[in-house]
Amino acid sequence: LHGSARTLNASLRLAAQPSADSRLTVVATRDDRNNQTPVGLFPSITTDMWVGNATLNTPYSFRQDRLKVLGETRFWKAWSLQAAAEAEETTRTLQEVSTTRESKVWAKLHAPLSDLGTGSLKALHATRFGSKYEVLANWAPAENPLMRKFNLADRIRDAAQLRSDFPVTEAVNVGFSVDASADNYNNSPLGLRSGQSVNLAADLAWSVSDNTSVHAFANEEKVRSVQVGSAAYSFADWTGRSRDVV
């Protein structure tokens, strides 16, 4: 292949403390991969005895720019509030979607639970929208032009997390958390249309000595999704629903 790629990773971080109880942080990053591998025809191997038609390789490149603004403030005893806004733009070559733009906002509240421990509640809203979806030429097998890959498709996400931590002793701490998320892919004619997940987790941390610690955790995740497809290589004519437990 004579493969060659140039990469660049850069970041800039600015921090300020407007008051004794508040902080502000701004982080900008760039991840750039310039793939200079030449494009050529290569035989496709179906089995050891059968060589398929020649296909083109797809040495795609991408550039990803991120900007994050994070604020944190403390108020009323041990209460604190974090909030952030994030933006991300990704440009690609040799992919169905050349540009995607993602935005995310979230807030997290920390609060003491009397003398028992601490708790936190986090809420998140995120969107991703892309440029026109175009099926790649010379791709085998041919894809339905209405198909949308879930990692490139328009998406709206809402999520929440509830967590609590309890110090059993000075050396032992236990924590419990519940995470829930819902994804919406309404702009996808074919492919994944929605997904929901709920995750229950518990963890334990034990400081045996100054040099030894033990960590244990257990979690269960339930995932549901809905996808639509086309057996006739046309518009949607079937719907599939799946439920998984991990």
Side-chain angles (χ1 to χ4, degrees), residues 25-57:
T25 305
V26 179
V27 181
T29 62
R30 167 166 287 187
D31 185 4
D32 192 349
R33 176 185 175 89
N34 183 5
N35 198 331
Q36 299 176 335
T37 302
V39 177
L41 284 171
F42 296 89
S44 58
I45 307 300
T46 304
T47 67
D48 294 340
M49 301 296 294
W50 177 260
V51 178
N53 296 327
T55 59
L56 292 171
N57 62 320

Side-chain angles (χ1 to χ4, degrees), residues 118-154:
T118 60
S120 64
L121 175 63
K122 180 180 180 180
L124 175 147
H125 177 74
T127 61
R128 180 180 66 206
F129 296 101
S131 55
K132 183 180 179 180
Y133 198 98
E134 298 179 347
V135 177
L136 295 178
N138 302 317
W139 186 264
E143 294 182 353
N144 190 319
L146 298 179
M147 181 69 179
R148 299 294 182 266
K149 294 181 178 180
F150 73 92
N151 61 311
L152 298 175
D154 295 348

Side-chain angles (χ1 to χ4, degrees), residues 20 53 62 109-110 127 132 157 162 186-187 223-224 244:
N53 296 327
F62 69 86
L109 178 66
H110 297 263
T127 61
K132 183 180 179 180
R157 169 174 291 174
L162 179 64
N186 280 345
N187 291 340
V223 181
R224 296 187 301 172
D244 297 306

